[in-house]
Amino acid sequence: MFINWALQEINLKIVYYGPGLSGKTTNLNYIYQKLDPSVRSDLITLKTKEDRTIFFDFLQLEIGKIKNKRPKFSLYTIPGQSYYSESRRIILNGVDGLVFVVDSQINRMPNNLQILKELEENLIESGRTLQTFPWVIQYNKRDLSEIESIENLQRKLNYFNAPHFEAVARAGQGVFVTLKAVINHVITHIQSKLV
Amino acid sequence: MESSKGGNGQPIILSGEMYRSVTELLSELLLKTKARVIIFGDMDGHAITQKGNTTGLNVNTLAALAAGHYAATAEMAKIVGETNRFKFIFHEGEEMNMYSCNVGNSFLLLIVFDISIALGMIRIFTNRTIQSLEKFLESQQQMDDKASEFLDIEFSTLLNKELDKTFNNL
């Protein structure tokens, strides 16, 4: 979080985390496509030639003035492939809130579990934990046939009872609900720390 | 909240006085170096202030990319056995060059300049500016009470309404 008192700006960093091909970039792409250009930046995607995220995607939102203050949200994705673990750690620098994007397909459960474990390890390394950190889970790809039930996903992945949402990101379903939830969660979390 | 000087989970809060001081130092640096643009941002990728000709330049995105690049380079330094981070990053172009370096642990400076300007001159003046910036930033006062003033309950209620309006039917 960065507050510029002179300009009355607050900048918050939200990272979309999850295994490769779970739909992190798809979320950002949908947000970019749907929002009016006056409230969002260009979408920057750092990709390999195979169209996979190599470092991060970046999109900034500036949602009007609230009590003469200007909240800005920097949205990042991480590269999900296992060998980019160092990049993921770097992108978590200064993160204020997280969306963990789950691939609901049954055969992807090991990948979801592995990267969730890595996320928790990364947070612990910097003195934080998912137990108290503001994060939400998005169960994506709910339109596919071979998918885990929500009950199973909740039991296996959501052991800290984070707010969770079902989504079909490529169709936009659940994308903005998730975004709004993580923003509210971050603000509430910061307020609770300030009391 | 322990500090107002950044790091994971800790907010960076720049007072009005600090902001003016930083902006003045950037103006001086711009004048001395004749750079095209100078951006002061934090290591988390937020652009804080900039000076120079920013026409057609997406400053926020540039700051985010610079911070990511800087963090990646710091990791590369570790891997090759450099005990401290690299002192600066330099990109040489056909028309423009870019120079970036850290200001303390939480901030960075990015300078875009014409290739006709000598790198040595950029380095000398930038190093002097960084020393002054670090002195100012170290003297930053505790601003925790300001943060709670910024993010009161009314703010979150109004933000919620604004989000509903912006995301309506999307």
Side-chain angles (χ1 to χ4, degrees), chain A residues 1-6 11 44 55 60 63 66-67 76 86 89-90 94 126 128 180 184 190-191 193, chain B residues 8-9 11-12 14 19 44 46 48 60-61 64 68 71 75 146 150-152 154 156 158 160 163-164 166:
Chain A
M1 174 172 65
F2 174 76
I3 294 177
N4 188 331
W5 201 258
N11 296 266
I44 301 298
F55 197 2
Q60 191 174 57
I63 299 166
I66 315 283
K67 290 181 74 186
Y76 289 78
E86 202 55 40
R89 206 169 57 77
I90 288 171
S126 56
R128 297 166 295 178
K180 191 184 163 203
N184 281 329
I190 294 169
Q191 283 171 338
K193 284 172 73 182
Chain B
N8 283 321
I12 298 173
L14 202 67
Y19 177 76
D44 299 337
H46 305 122
I48 295 168
N60 290 320
T61 302
E75 292 301 320
K146 291 277 187 187
F150 207 100
L151 288 168
D152 59 15
E154 194 188 356
S156 52
L158 292 172
N160 212 15
L163 291 175
D164 280 340
T166 309

Side-chain angles (χ1 to χ4, degrees), chain B residues 75-132:
Chain B
E75 292 301 320
M76 287 159 69
K78 275 190 214 163
I79 290 167
V80 300
E82 171 62 45
T83 47
N84 216 329
R85 56 163 66 112
F86 292 122
K87 288 188 172 69
F88 66 89
I89 302 171
F90 176 59
H91 297 282
E92 188 173 359
E94 295 282 323
E95 293 175 15
M96 287 288 160
N97 294 334
M98 248 179 4
Y99 178 91
S100 57
C101 46
N102 63 295
V103 181
N105 288 322
S106 302
F107 301 94
L108 63 83
L109 206 51
L110 179 71
I111 298 147
V112 182
F113 59 101
D114 192 274
I115 55 159
S116 62
I117 300 168
L119 174 62
M121 189 177 78
I122 297 287
R123 284 196 68 185
I124 289 168
F125 286 121
T126 303
N127 283 343
R128 287 181 194 163
T129 301
I130 286 171
Q131 282 172 11
S132 306

Side-chain angles (χ1 to χ4, degrees), chain A residues 62-101:
Chain A
E62 194 175 341
I63 299 166
K65 274 193 173 180
I66 315 283
K67 290 181 74 186
N68 284 324
K69 299 174 173 78
R70 292 163 59 200
K72 290 182 175 181
F73 303 97
S74 298
L75 311 184
Y76 289 78
T77 66
I78 51 103
Q81 288 154 290
S82 56
Y83 44 86
Y84 292 133
S85 60
E86 202 55 40
S87 301
R88 289 194 282 278
R89 206 169 57 77
I90 288 171
I91 294 157
L92 285 178
N93 281 344
V95 62
D96 295 298
L98 283 160
V99 176
F100 189 78
V101 183

